[in-house]
Amino acid sequence: GLGFNIVGGTDQQYIANDSSIYVSRIKKDGAAYLDGRLQEGDKILAINGKDLKDLRHKDAVELFRNAGYHVSLKIQRRLQPQNGPVGHRGDGEAGGLPLAAILVPGLALAATAVWILLRYRQRM
């Protein structure tokens, strides 16, 4: 086999209102894994020049099974979801306050408290 599983099709939509074929799993040490270019979540648009649009799942599986030794896939890379809080800008910067905006005032407050404590102890 090609070393990966697929989901989707007109009869088994993986994503609502989308009958495309997607890579659901790449089998470790399989052909796709060893090649390294295909990723889980990729949408497969065509195999060996044959468009996969509007196919039933079993018909897509049959195309993959009969693809032969040399296989050419046309894929659309899935956009990776951003980790972080909702509203993340996705421009490389995390949302919320920078760490320095919390640490600097906190350190200043701690230093002031130590200074006051030392001054207070001297008076006693």
Side-chain angles (χ1 to χ4, degrees), residues 23-93:
V23 176
S24 63
R25 181 174 164 254
I26 296 180
K27 298 174 184 176
K28 190 166 180 153
D29 298 326
Y33 177 85
L34 296 173
D35 177 77
R37 291 180 281 180
L38 195 63
Q39 296 179 9
E40 291 178 0
D42 284 349
K43 181 190 290 190
I44 304 175
L45 304 174
I47 180 168
N48 294 339
K50 295 177 185 173
D51 191 7
L52 298 181
K53 189 173 182 177
D54 298 325
L55 285 180
R56 293 180 300 173
H57 180 79
K58 71 176 191 172
D59 295 330
V61 168
E62 199 60 32
L63 282 176
F64 284 96
R65 285 192 177 140
N66 295 323
Y69 185 74
H70 296 285
V71 177
S72 172
L73 298 177
K74 182 178 179 182
I75 65 151
Q76 180 179 349
R77 182 79 57 210
R78 175 182 68 167
L79 295 176
Q80 298 297 323
Q82 297 292 328
N83 291 331
V86 174
H88 184 267
R89 293 186 299 272
D91 58 4
E93 292 185 27

